[in-house]
Structures are given as structure tokens and as C-alpha cells.
Amino acid sequence: MPTAAAAAAASNALLRCGLHFISWRRPLLLPASAKTKTPSSLSIGRGGALLLRGGVALAPSFCTASPDAASAATSDAVEEAAAGNSSNGSAGAAIDVKEVANTLDLRVGRILKAWRHEEADTLYVEEVDVGEADPRIICSGLVKYVPLDLLQGRNVVVLANLKARNMRGVKSSGMLMAASDASHENVELLVPPEGSLPGERIWFGSESDKETLPPVATPNQVQKKKIWEMVQPHLKTDESRNAILLGQHLMRTSVGAVTSPSLKNANIS
């Protein structure tokens, strides 16, 4: 049996050669909910094991749930859509703009009454039926573009899940959707198809997409996730004056497409 001095000398020799020993320890088992980052020096081996460059196995990863598993909860649906995750996609994929857009609470509205804002020359105040117990009060900057008498009794498209804003002393709970040309000299309210009813949901896509729409986001989620800011740049009218998303997905109700009265290839906001 080697003496203690001989063992120490052997250990020192190994250290001088750049080698050392570490006693074995039980690997740490992380809970399924733990979020870990993989450094650039690591790769993933078979069975989810983390590998250091050179093939040395480190602690295995213990995942029990897919990152894009479907959830019925509104918050989870919005989180996944905004992150680009869907039930048939993979985590980290590009943002699904159509999925995100369909978390906007777009509805058919009917203007019951409209008047000039007493404190703001550029604003109208409208009382709008959006299928709720009471009409909503909405302010819109349309004075320069739409005569007041043409607003009365008109069907419109309402974005209903924006946070309410104080507009010169009037609490505005929504936004009327309109098309405008590049110079913003011509502005027209979008028109739901004939036969659409107040409160009816509006979505992007085909008629059959109505059966698989995600839950609408809350106003807090729309603001926090900047959902409207994410979607708006992709909204236009086409050559047929249809309102479309990403150049292909119609904005529609159950009876047809939403349109602009005359503006082609126009921005929508």
C-alpha cells in the first residue's frame, strides 16, 4: 500500500499535468417548471441530457410539458400567440400575426348618436351599440373627414378591447376602424357587410376559421403585449377595397367581408 507521502506526490504530479479529480455528487433534479438557459458551450444529447463540448454528460433536463401546449385560459392563449407558439408550431417560431390579430376584440357596432366634442374641435363623441347592455361612448378624430350627419345610425367596425382613455374630459371606450390614403387626406370608416348585427365578432381569415378563434385578449394584455401595435402595420385594403391582414386574410363577419367605401390599397387604423 502506498504511503500518504507517496499518494500526495502522485496527486501533485497529476495536478501539474492539468488533471484533477472531483468526487461524484448526485445530479440536481430540476422541477418541471424551472427555466434554464443553455450556455453556448453546451449542447443537447440524447434523452435531453446536457453535453459539454467534448461529449461529457452534465445534469439531464427533466421536462414534462410542451412549451406550446394548448390552454383554454385567455392569458395563456395570448402569451402563446404573441410568442409565436401554437398547438402545431414550435417554441421560438416567428410570431403568428394572424393568431395575434384574432385576439383583438373587433365587433360590429351601430352609432346610435353622435355629436361634436365640447372641448376638442377635431373630435366627435359617439354612442355606439356593440351588443352590450349599455352603449359605449367612443371619441374619434373624424371631424375633418366625415360629416356629422353621415355618422348617425351607421354600422361601423369597433376595436373594443383597448384600455379606456380620457379624451378631454370624456372617457372613450374603444376605437372606430377606418381606412386612410398615404397622405391621410382621405379617411373612411370601414363598413361591415349588409346583414351584420351589432356585437357580432369580426375576425381575420376564412369563414371556417370562426370555429377555431382564440379568446379575445383583455385590455391589459392588449396594452402590455402591444398587440395592436404588432398587428396594425399589416392591415390594408386591397384592389377590391376589402380590409385584409398580411395581404391575404379577409377581415370578415359571418355574412361577408368588411370593406372601405372607396379607398384601395389604403392603410387601416
Side-chain angles (χ1 to χ4, degrees):
M1 172 178 276
T3 65
S11 178
N12 288 336
L14 290 172
L15 287 172
R16 285 195 296 271
C17 294
L19 301 174
H20 62 280
F21 296 99
I22 299 176
S23 61
W24 181 87
R25 294 182 182 177
R26 182 181 301 276
L28 174 65
L29 302 185
L30 300 177
S33 60
K35 296 182 180 179
T36 60
K37 294 185 178 179
T38 304
S40 58
S41 60
L42 302 179
S43 59
I44 305 298
R46 295 183 61 185
L50 296 178
L51 300 179
L52 188 64
R53 284 178 183 166
V56 180
L58 300 179
S61 172
F62 294 88
C63 296
T64 59
S66 168
D68 44 28
S71 170
T74 301
S75 59
D76 288 348
V78 174
E79 291 277 350
E80 289 186 4
N85 302 339
S86 61
S87 57
N88 60 357
S90 60
I95 291 172
D96 187 339
V97 175
K98 179 187 172 189
E99 185 81 1
V100 173
N102 278 328
T103 67
L104 293 172
D105 187 6
L106 292 165
R107 303 188 208 173
V108 176
R110 178 171 296 150
I111 299 176
L112 304 176
K113 186 166 60 173
W115 61 95
R116 295 282 294 266
H117 194 300
E118 294 180 357
E119 302 296 330
D121 293 340
T122 61
L123 297 178
Y124 288 132
V125 182
E126 300 99 7
E127 194 175 274
V128 187
D129 178 4
V130 292
E132 298 171 340
D134 297 309
R136 290 203 186 193
I137 298 297
I138 297 176
C139 296
S140 56
L142 296 171
V143 171
K144 285 176 56 178
Y145 310 106
V146 182
L148 183 59
D149 62 311
L150 294 184
L151 291 178
Q152 313 290 346
R154 182 170 181 165
N155 278 7
V156 291
V157 176
V158 177
L159 179 51
N161 58 344
L162 295 177
K163 269 195 165 184
R165 294 179 57 194
N166 191 302
M167 307 284 283
R168 296 285 189 90
V170 177
K171 186 177 180 180
S172 179
S173 301
M175 182 170 74
L176 305 186
M177 302 291 290
S180 61
D181 59 16
S183 65
H184 209 69
E185 291 294 322
N186 297 294
V187 177
E188 297 177 343
L189 287 169
L190 294 182
V191 181
E194 191 70 30
S196 301
L197 299 175
E200 184 175 353
R201 187 169 178 181
I202 294 171
W203 72 96
F204 298 97
S206 66
E207 187 173 354
S208 61
D209 284 338
K210 183 180 181 181
E211 305 305 318
T212 56
L213 291 175
V216 296
T218 67
N220 279 338
Q221 289 168 337
V222 172
Q223 182 181 63
K224 179 181 176 183
K225 294 294 179 183
K226 299 188 182 300
I227 293 175
W228 172 239
E229 291 84 350
M230 200 183 305
V231 172
Q232 190 276 326
H234 304 288
L235 295 174
K236 300 278 186 182
T237 61
D238 63 12
E239 283 291 330
S240 300
R241 299 176 289 101
N242 294 313
I244 55 171
L245 175 75
L246 294 170
Q248 58 180 317
H249 305 297
L250 285 173
M251 180 189 286
R252 65 182 306 127
T253 73
S254 59
V255 294
V258 172
T259 60
S260 171
S262 67
L263 293 177
K264 302 177 180 179
N265 304 311
N267 298 316
I268 294 175
S269 60

